[in-house]
Amino acid sequence: MKRFVRSLAQLAVIRAIVSEVEQERLRPIIFIAHSLGGLIVKKVRKPEIQYFDPHEGLRAQFRIQLNKDFKEVVGSLQTRCVSFYERQRTKKTLLFVSTQHIVVSRESATLDITGEVTVPINADHSTIVRYRSAEDHNFSITLGHLRDCILGPTSPIEERPQPPPKHRNTHYLAPRMGRFFIGRDAELQRLHDQFFPPAKPRPLSRSVGLIGQSGLGKTQLALKYAVINRDQYDYVIYLNATSADSLRNDLAKLHKTLQPAEEGGDAVSGALTWLAETEDVSWLVIFDNANDLQDIKDIVASVSPAGHIILTTQDARIESSDLVDSAFRLELLSPEEAKNLLLSRAQLHRSTADDVDVASQVVKELGLLPLAADSFGAYIHVRHKTVQQCRMLFRSAPRHMLSYRPELASHASSVLASLELSFETLDDDASLLVSLLACLDHAEVTEELLRRGTCSQPQWSKSGEKEYIDPASVGISRTIIDLTRSEVRFDKAVEDLTALSLVQITSVRESGRSFAMHPLIHHCARLRLDKEKLHEMLRQALSIVSHVAPEGGEISKERKDYESNLE
């Protein structure tokens, strides 16, 4: 009897085991594979999850056939495939030389098949499958996708645990930003939204141009963006694009920094190849002072799809070019921002009401230009002057004040020197036109005035007859007459001046355009002329106005102003 009961018990156990085996056959299998373990998974008929397999790192013929067979299996079965890929570099040391690189790139770690889910993990090749604890964020991400394999997706992908922003050990290869940066919140937000648009999977732009005249703070804005967003990038790189030579020199230095073990060959090409082809590396490059767009257009085009680019330039023509995805003009500081910058730079922490009032007037005289306000404030601090004393010095010795650059300043040049770089690039026609405009009203000069002032004008003679007065007969130079009468030459000069933001077009009418100059550009354009040249240009300006409004007619306010200038 006992033997019979024992036999029944054994039979029950056997039946239970058989039943369990049958049930196990109906349960799905989830394979978790890391690195080369993925090769074994590919040989299994019905995989459920694939974890980080270097699909591309095999011998070509074997890899192609293996991937082809695996894709056919996945395509013919209701199979869920999840591919994770590393986002951090793995450090390796060989013969006392340390290197860091992505072991398996995103392209190699994913299959590019229909229905595949790709998941980035903030880890390197080793730590991608090593978790510190059950609270590890990477573990939560992996566990969520495992749960989906068993139960099916229970929530939209965007609601599942996502990798946190990477706390990168960013390689910051750029100058230090000035410590007295003030304002520009809207511009910083606009830059951020171009590269990282809210609620959109892809950036609106991968390259952005910052346009504005010299001294407007384009470089400082780009550096400020780089500093506050450095965790978004593995590399922040600054390149001096003032000229083709300076750009090539910085690229050669960059190549030496990025790939010190590589010797020989073209260093510039090596740096560009690294920027264009290095996988799974996020970078931001600042092309600074790119005022000659022809010099850099091929370089920018070769690397722009691979990372983020900020290009600072005075050339407004970038707005209508294909060089960048988007561009916007930098405006002057607000009166409040300019005043605060001056007082902060002067380190007048206990400013009197008089200081604040005079500072508000000074920044308006400086045209709300950030570089001028910064330099003026530094002068007050270093020379131990009051704001009013420096204001009077600016009026009596403007060349001295505009040539001042504080020691160890974040900006490379004084106001006068930075503008002179722009003036020096002008050809003869543009240089002549800007000198003439500098001797007219900075707020507005009409094209109609210039053209009428250099054409024959009707005038009543003493005998009562109408006669035409040739502009050369009243002292207007033939070079100015020829320039204003040639529409092609005049338009080219205007284009060059507006491209460098030395002149602005304030309106366009049937009668012609209206021109304006920033007060400091207007002032510096005069200061760069020697006394004899300035006196001659003032005479030319007065002659043009007099030719349009002769003594016998109604004398304009402009004419009186120019007569007082000559005195």
Side-chain angles (χ1 to χ4, degrees):
M1 186 66 180
K2 290 181 179 180
R3 183 178 297 177
F4 177 72
V5 172
R6 189 181 298 112
S7 297
L8 288 178
Q10 291 174 345
L11 182 60
V13 171
I14 292 172
R15 286 180 175 177
I17 292 174
V18 170
S19 176
E20 186 175 348
V21 169
E22 291 297 326
Q23 292 177 4
E24 288 294 327
R25 288 179 179 175
L26 300 178
R27 292 176 61 187
I29 300 176
I30 298 176
F31 290 92
I32 303 177
H34 173 239
S35 195
L36 296 177
L39 303 182
I40 299 174
V41 172
K42 287 182 178 180
K43 288 296 184 181
V44 177
R45 177 174 177 77
K46 193 176 181 181
E48 280 294 340
I49 182 169
Q50 177 272 327
Y51 197 113
F52 202 89
D53 175 18
H55 308 293
E56 302 296 330
L58 306 169
R59 291 183 179 179
Q61 187 173 358
F62 175 70
R63 168 176 55 79
I64 292 172
Q65 187 60 48
L66 186 62
N67 286 347
K68 180 181 178 181
D69 294 343
F70 186 68
K71 289 180 180 180
E72 288 178 356
V73 171
V74 172
S76 63
L77 302 172
Q78 293 183 350
T79 302
R80 180 177 176 81
C81 185
V82 183
S83 296
F84 299 76
Y85 61 91
E86 62 199 60
R87 294 178 67 187
Q88 295 181 2
R89 295 170 166 237
T90 301
K91 184 176 181 180
K92 288 188 176 182
T93 303
L94 180 63
L95 297 177
F96 306 104
V97 177
S98 295
T99 60
Q100 290 185 337
H101 65 282
I102 298 292
V103 176
V104 181
S105 67
R106 175 178 180 174
E107 289 73 18
S108 182
T110 56
L111 284 165
D112 192 25
I113 57 178
T114 303
E116 178 187 23
V117 178
T118 60
V119 184
I121 296 292
N122 287 343
D124 61 23
H125 188 66
S126 177
T127 58
I128 196 170
V129 288
R130 295 179 182 175
Y131 309 114
R132 293 186 298 271
S133 67
E135 285 72 39
D136 190 315
H137 198 81
N138 288 342
F139 178 75
S140 299
I141 294 172
T142 307
L143 186 62
H145 286 282
L146 282 170
R147 187 179 294 111
D148 288 346
C149 288
I150 299 171
L151 304 176
T154 57
S155 62
I157 291 177
E158 59 270 17
E159 294 180 6
R160 298 175 199 161
Q162 299 294 319
K166 292 204 296 184
H167 296 287
R168 291 179 168 91
N169 181 22
T170 304
H171 300 268
Y172 189 80
L173 310 177
R176 182 179 177 181
M177 187 193 72
R179 57 183 279 217
F180 297 102
F181 186 93
I182 285 179
R184 301 298 193 198
D185 293 338
E187 291 88 345
L188 287 167
Q189 187 63 50
R190 183 171 179 179
L191 270 176
H192 183 273
D193 290 347
Q194 287 291 323
F195 292 131
F196 304 101
K200 292 186 178 180
R202 294 183 178 181
L204 296 175
S205 305
R206 299 198 71 85
S207 54
V208 178
L210 299 181
I211 309 167
Q213 67 190 62
S214 180
L216 204 53
K218 302 181 295 295
T219 301
Q220 290 299 307
L221 175 63
L223 292 175
K224 179 68 172 180
Y225 169 83
V227 167
I228 62 179
N229 292 282
R230 62 188 302 166
D231 280 350
Q232 302 286 348
Y233 302 101
D234 296 309
Y235 286 86
V236 172
I237 299 166
Y238 173 93
L239 298 174
N240 180 1
T242 302
S243 66
D245 289 340
S246 64
L247 180 56
R248 291 182 64 85
N249 186 51
D250 274 12
L251 284 168
K253 291 179 181 178
L254 177 64
H255 178 262
K256 187 175 181 180
T257 300
L258 297 175
Q259 299 167 295
E262 293 189 12
E263 297 183 359
D266 186 351
V268 173
S269 297
L272 294 177
T273 299
W274 187 93
L275 289 170
E277 299 181 3
T278 302
E279 299 175 335
D280 293 294
V281 173
S282 178
W283 53 254
L284 167 70
V285 173
I286 299 171
F287 288 90
D288 194 31
N289 289 323
N291 297 326
D292 191 340
L293 300 178
Q294 289 292 333
D295 280 350
I296 67 161
K297 65 176 184 178
D298 293 336
I299 290 176
V300 174
S302 68
V303 302
S304 58
H308 289 174
I309 288 174
I310 297 177
L311 189 150
T312 72
T313 182
Q314 296 177 33
D315 197 336
R317 289 173 292 195
I318 197 174
E319 287 182 294
S320 57
S321 75
D322 295 326
L323 185 60
V324 293
D325 296 331
S326 63
F328 63 90
R329 295 173 181 261
L330 237 58
E331 302 296 333
L332 296 166
L333 294 178
S334 69
E336 185 70 15
E337 289 173 336
K339 178 198 69 179
N340 290 339
L341 174 59
L342 188 150
L343 294 174
S344 174
R345 192 69 171 92
Q347 301 189 41
L348 297 177
H349 304 300
R350 296 182 180 179
S351 305
T352 64
D354 286 342
D355 286 336
V356 174
D357 182 57
V358 175
S360 297
Q361 298 174 44
V362 168
V363 295
K364 290 179 181 178
E365 293 178 22
L366 297 174
L368 306 177
L369 193 69
L371 177 58
D374 182 277
S375 299
F376 200 101
Y379 194 97
I380 292 172
H381 175 67
V382 173
R383 302 293 173 90
H384 303 285
K385 296 278 190 178
T386 66
V387 182
Q388 180 61 27
Q389 286 173 336
C390 281
R391 182 190 188 189
M392 299 307 296
L393 187 59
F394 173 60
R395 291 180 173 180
S396 62
R399 183 185 298 275
H400 169 71
M401 291 299 292
L402 294 175
S403 298
Y404 176 73
R405 176 185 174 271
E407 295 291 333
L408 305 178
S410 58
H411 47 268
S413 305
S414 66
V415 174
L416 194 58
S418 64
L419 287 173
E420 183 60 28
L421 293 175
S422 300
F423 289 127
E424 288 177 349
T425 65
L426 301 175
D427 63 16
D428 291 343
D429 284 348
S431 183
L432 176 62
L433 181 56
V434 77
S435 297
L436 178 61
L437 292 174
C439 295
L440 295 165
D441 184 15
H442 76 86
E444 183 181 39
V445 175
T446 64
E447 186 175 358
E448 182 182 18
L449 170 69
L450 298 177
R451 294 198 183 278
R452 287 182 58 196
T454 53
C455 291
S456 296
Q457 293 295 317
Q459 186 174 330
W460 294 107
S461 66
K462 293 182 179 180
S463 62
E465 295 181 356
K466 193 176 188 180
E467 60 182 8
Y468 285 86
I469 307 299
D470 183 76
S473 67
V474 295
I476 300 174
S477 73
R478 179 57 60 182
T479 53
I480 293 178
I481 294 171
D482 292 343
L483 174 59
T484 56
R485 285 185 178 180
S486 171
E487 188 170 1
V488 173
R489 287 176 57 193
F490 187 80
D491 285 349
K492 178 61 169 61
V494 170
E495 179 184 344
D496 291 344
L497 294 178
T498 55
L500 291 174
S501 301
L502 294 174
V503 171
Q504 295 177 336
I505 296 177
T506 56
S507 66
V508 179
R509 300 186 181 91
E510 289 297 327
S511 59
R513 294 157 288 191
S514 294
F515 308 114
M517 295 178 72
H518 184 275
L520 283 190
I521 295 178
H522 187 266
H523 206 68
C524 290
R526 285 192 181 194
L527 289 176
R528 67 187 302 268
L529 302 176
D530 60 47
K531 186 175 181 180
E532 183 178 347
K533 181 68 173 176
L534 175 61
H535 193 73
E536 174 59 25
M537 292 309 299
L538 286 168
R539 284 194 178 278
Q540 292 296 318
L542 177 58
S543 296
I544 289 173
V545 174
S546 298
H547 192 50
V548 175
E551 287 278 2
E554 182 181 349
I555 301 178
S556 67
K557 176 180 180 297
E558 286 179 309
R559 177 175 174 175
K560 292 180 179 178
D561 290 340
Y562 304 131
E563 287 178 335
S564 64
N565 278 330
L566 282 174
E567 295 172 359

